[in-house]
Structure formats: C-alpha cells, structure tokens
Amino acid sequence: MKNGVKFHSIFYRFILFIFVVFLTVISMILDAKKAQIRFFNLSLTIGQKELRIVTVVVLLLTFLLSFMFKWKCSIHKEGIYLRKIDLFVDWNAIRGLSHIWINEYHRGPHGFPFYNRKTLVIYRENYQPICLYNIPILALYVAKCYHPKLKTNIVSATLASLFNMALNAWFLYEMFSKNLVNIKAEVFMFWLLLYAVKVFALPLIMLGYENHCYGASLAHSTAYKKNASKAIHL
C-alpha cells in the first residue's frame, strides 16, 4: 500500500505543548533578567532571546523527527490500510468513521497520568470497531474526499478540535505576554471551567453519542482497566 495519504502519531504535539509551557514558565521567572548555568568549566547564559531560539529550534526538530517514525495508517481511494496489523479495510466494509477523544489513564510512574487520545474509530460491518489512537482529524477529511458517501462525525469533530486549539492558543498567548502574573480570580476560574469541559465533558459527550449511533462498544480507560473499549486497539 505505497499509494495514499499516510498518517503518523500526533502524540508529539502533547509533548511539545508541555515543553512550550515549561519554557514559558522559565521565561516568566527570568523576565528581563538572565540566568547563568554552569557545567564544569563551561557557563551558559540564558535570557529571553535564547529561550525563544531554543523554543523555535525544538519545535522544528520535533516536528521533522516525527516523520521519521513509522506511519500508522494509509488512506486512499480503495480504503484504509492499517500497518501494525497488516489489514486493509475496503470502503464497502466500513459503515462509519469517526474522530473522537478517548481518555487514557495511567497508574504508576510510567506514562502520563491522564491524556485525551485523538482517536480515529473505524466501524466495520459484522466486526469489532478499530480504534486508531493519536491520529489527526485531517484523516477524517481525507477519507471523506476519497469516499464522499462515508458516514462521519466531521462537523462535531471539527468543532471540538477548533475549541481545543483555541483554548491552548489562548493559554499560550497569555503566558507569552505574561498576563498570567496579574490574572483575575474570575478569569482563572473560567479557564479551569473551560479545561474541565475539554478534558472531561467533551470526551464523554462524543463517546456517548458514538455509542448511541453504533452500539455500546467504546469506553474510556480507567484506573482499573486500560483500553476498556470493545475494539481492536492500535
């Protein structure tokens, strides 16, 4: 399956967001000052300019390196090919394709304790659905282009993605502009409310609607059961 549009994991975006927040916090602490880091006989002076350069370089490198890893799926005019299990799913065998957020929960020191996995769900005729984790919503648009009659949740998925991007962009803007230093209590509480909607409410609503349309097969991970959905997990 060499032809078609290939999609890689987008988990790196989550790592990048955390890294940018970390650098922004350091920038807020330094403000107009400069910090000097000593390592043996070497010294490194870090200021606002150096932090910006490091941020841009790391963002570009991480984005480029993400394409060096193996792609997860390929979408083309005949259907969807899943590389990990070497399975090709023809469009005629797919009764629905959705992009939703399935929460992942980790106990212990390994991995992130809580994460909204952007999941492409392939609903098949007479078979279990397939959950393809950390796939961008662009895959839904590509599938719709190749197979316009395909049933999708492209409208709700797009609105959820726009809400997520706008909220994260707003947060980063406030941090870069150092407005968080003098943030009002009511604004902070409003932010917490919006992030609660993003982390808990939206995934529950999206998953509940999917189960209503296609049957109760999907579920969020819990502290007691990882990958709780009755599906193939990729």
Side-chain angles (χ1 to χ4, degrees), residues 170-214:
W170 183 21
F171 177 73
L172 290 176
Y173 170 77
E174 294 293 336
M175 290 194 72
F176 273 114
S177 58
K178 299 181 176 60
N179 292 334
L180 289 182
V181 177
N182 301 314
I183 190 171
K184 295 181 180 180
E186 55 268 27
V187 176
F188 180 72
M189 294 303 295
F190 181 63
W191 265 7
L192 289 181
L193 176 62
L194 290 179
Y195 268 97
V197 170
K198 168 192 168 181
V199 174
F200 300 108
L202 272 180
L204 288 173
I205 293 171
M206 296 172 78
L207 189 140
Y209 182 75
E210 290 296 306
N211 285 337
H212 173 74
C213 293
Y214 297 101

Side-chain angles (χ1 to χ4, degrees), residues 38-123:
R38 292 187 176 275
F39 185 75
F40 293 106
N41 294 326
L42 300 175
S43 63
L44 177 65
T45 302
I46 298 178
Q48 299 292 334
K49 183 179 179 180
E50 289 78 11
L51 282 175
R52 293 192 188 98
I53 294 174
V54 170
T55 302
V56 172
V57 170
V58 171
L59 288 175
L60 290 175
L61 284 177
T62 308
F63 177 75
L64 293 174
L65 288 174
S66 66
F67 291 97
M68 296 179 63
F69 297 100
K70 293 181 179 179
W71 49 272
K72 301 186 71 172
C73 71
S74 175
I75 301 177
H76 42 86
K77 60 182 180 180
E78 288 86 14
I80 302 176
Y81 176 71
L82 307 173
R83 181 172 185 169
K84 186 175 182 179
I85 57 176
D86 192 24
L87 175 67
F88 174 76
V89 186
D90 188 87
W91 291 124
N92 294 326
I94 299 176
R95 62 192 183 104
L97 188 69
S98 297
H99 190 271
I100 63 172
W101 303 352
I102 297 181
N103 289 340
E104 181 182 29
Y105 182 84
H106 277 290
R107 288 194 300 175
H110 302 292
F112 291 92
F114 195 83
Y115 173 60
N116 291 131
R117 291 181 291 185
K118 310 304 183 288
T119 308
L120 187 70
V121 184
I122 305 172
Y123 296 99

